[in-house]
Amino acid sequence: MANSVLNIIKIGGNVIDDESQLDSFLEKFSALSGKKILVHGGGKIATRLANELGIQAQMVEGRRVTDEDMLRVVTMVYAGLTNKTIVAKLQKLKCDAVGLSGADGDVIKAIKRPVKDIDYGFVGDLLHDSVNTLAIKKFLEAGFVPVFSAITHNGLGQLLNTNADTIASSLAVSLASLYETSLVYCFEKNGVLRDITDENSVIPAIKSEEFEYLKESGVVNEGMIPKLQNAFNAINKGVQEVYIGNANNLHLFQQGQFGTCLTLK
């Protein structure tokens, strides 16, 4: 049974790649009251470092293929440089953060993605029981703010590269049994837009049945569809609400004015 409120915030690479934008976002994040978790993606740093090391980055349909060399790079960047930079910046803001990969405290276990048409290499997929909720609860109840990179492990000594959106969603679903959990996806748009060319055309709220209509009418299309499908999947599994909005507007979240709010009913 949920006993208090928990907000899980996910930021993408566009925030991480811009230091001033990251600093501004982290100020807003640190000011959020109550229990909270930050999940971050990787940005372009891993690709740049790979190029400098002569390692060719491979992408298939927007998904990174992670061979052994690339796994070393993304682990160094995501779980190392990026994660610890964020933690250090939060400590400066008096936000007592602790940086975690899935291997730390055995908090997120994954399985290597099975090879079908494409071999994605050391990419980890999450299962329904991948998240160690009790371990994460210990951090939260001790007053720490967990900051998760997108690196997981298989429990047998192998690190895996896992999609950060999926990690955020899985954390929210798992922790919804312990807390009243909201999931917040921060990206570069102001929310789900009725008109993709008009940043002010934000749809403030979408319920499950309205999502189907918005898809059929073409208002929601392309890259936004999987985001919303993941969001409603989380809601169907116990997450209170999912928000999608601009990272620059996070300070409006606890005022009820942030982006698009997705709910079951």
Side-chain angles (χ1 to χ4, degrees):
M1 193 70 180
N3 55 21
S4 64
V5 173
L6 170 66
N7 294 313
I8 298 176
I9 318 289
K10 190 268 172 179
I11 53 166
N14 61 309
V15 177
I16 291 163
D17 290 331
D18 184 326
E19 188 168 5
S20 63
Q21 195 177 347
L22 178 60
D23 287 343
S24 174
F25 168 83
L26 292 176
E27 281 186 28
K28 297 176 178 74
F29 175 80
S30 66
L32 291 176
S33 61
K35 293 180 174 63
K36 57 199 173 192
I37 290 173
L38 182 60
V39 181
H40 64 82
K44 297 173 184 170
I45 302 169
T47 301
R48 285 201 300 267
L49 180 58
N51 288 337
E52 289 171 16
L53 295 172
I55 299 166
Q56 185 67 43
Q58 298 177 62
M59 305 291 284
V60 178
E61 296 174 354
R63 296 175 184 270
R64 187 186 293 278
V65 175
T66 308
D67 62 16
E68 199 167 337
D69 287 337
M70 186 56 74
L71 180 66
R72 293 191 186 105
V73 172
V74 296
T75 301
M76 285 190 288
V77 173
Y78 298 173
L81 180 62
T82 300
N83 187 262
K84 298 315 171 192
T85 298
I86 290 171
V87 169
K89 287 176 180 289
L90 286 172
Q91 296 295 358
K92 177 186 173 184
L93 296 165
K94 309 302 180 194
C95 177
D96 204 359
V98 56
L100 298 170
S101 72
D104 296 300
D106 195 27
V107 287
I108 307 176
K109 230 179 247 180
I111 60 164
K112 186 174 178 290
R113 180 170 297 167
V115 177
K116 294 179 182 174
D117 297 336
I118 299 160
D119 183 356
Y120 283 99
F122 294 100
V123 167
D125 288 334
L126 302 187
L127 304 174
H128 69 91
D129 59 350
S130 284
V131 175
N132 185 340
T133 52
L134 294 181
I136 297 169
K137 182 186 179 186
K138 289 177 185 176
F139 285 110
L140 292 168
E141 297 301 327
F144 290 111
V145 175
V147 177
F148 282 93
S149 66
I151 300 296
T152 58
H153 77 133
N154 70 350
L156 300 170
Q158 178 64 57
L159 294 172
L160 297 165
N161 181 19
T162 298
N163 179 273
D165 282 354
T166 304
I167 286 177
S169 177
S170 294
L171 285 169
V173 169
S174 297
L175 289 160
S177 62
L178 301 177
Y179 304 98
E180 291 179 16
T181 304
S182 293
L183 174 59
V184 183
Y185 285 111
C186 291
F187 71 147
E188 65 279 4
K189 298 290 183 184
N190 285 337
V192 181
L193 305 178
R194 197 168 291 281
D195 177 356
I196 195 68
T197 63
D198 181 5
E199 275 292 334
N200 296 316
S201 66
V202 174
I203 304 171
I206 301 174
K207 295 175 183 173
S208 187
E209 67 270 16
E210 293 170 339
F211 172 46
E212 296 305 318
Y213 167 75
L214 291 170
K215 261 197 310 186
E216 289 166 13
S217 61
V219 172
V220 172
N221 54 33
E222 295 176 358
M224 190 55 75
I225 290 176
K227 276 188 190 299
L228 295 186
Q229 283 173 331
N230 283 337
F232 282 112
N233 182 49
I235 290 165
N236 284 324
K237 292 179 179 176
V239 176
Q240 293 276 107
E241 314 163 308
V242 178
Y243 293 83
I244 297 177
N246 195 314
N248 295 325
N249 297 332
L250 186 63
H251 59 291
L252 300 174
F253 170 61
Q254 290 185 324
Q255 300 170 30
Q257 300 172 17
F258 179 81
T260 301
C261 176
L262 312 175
T263 57
L264 196 58
K265 297 177 182 177

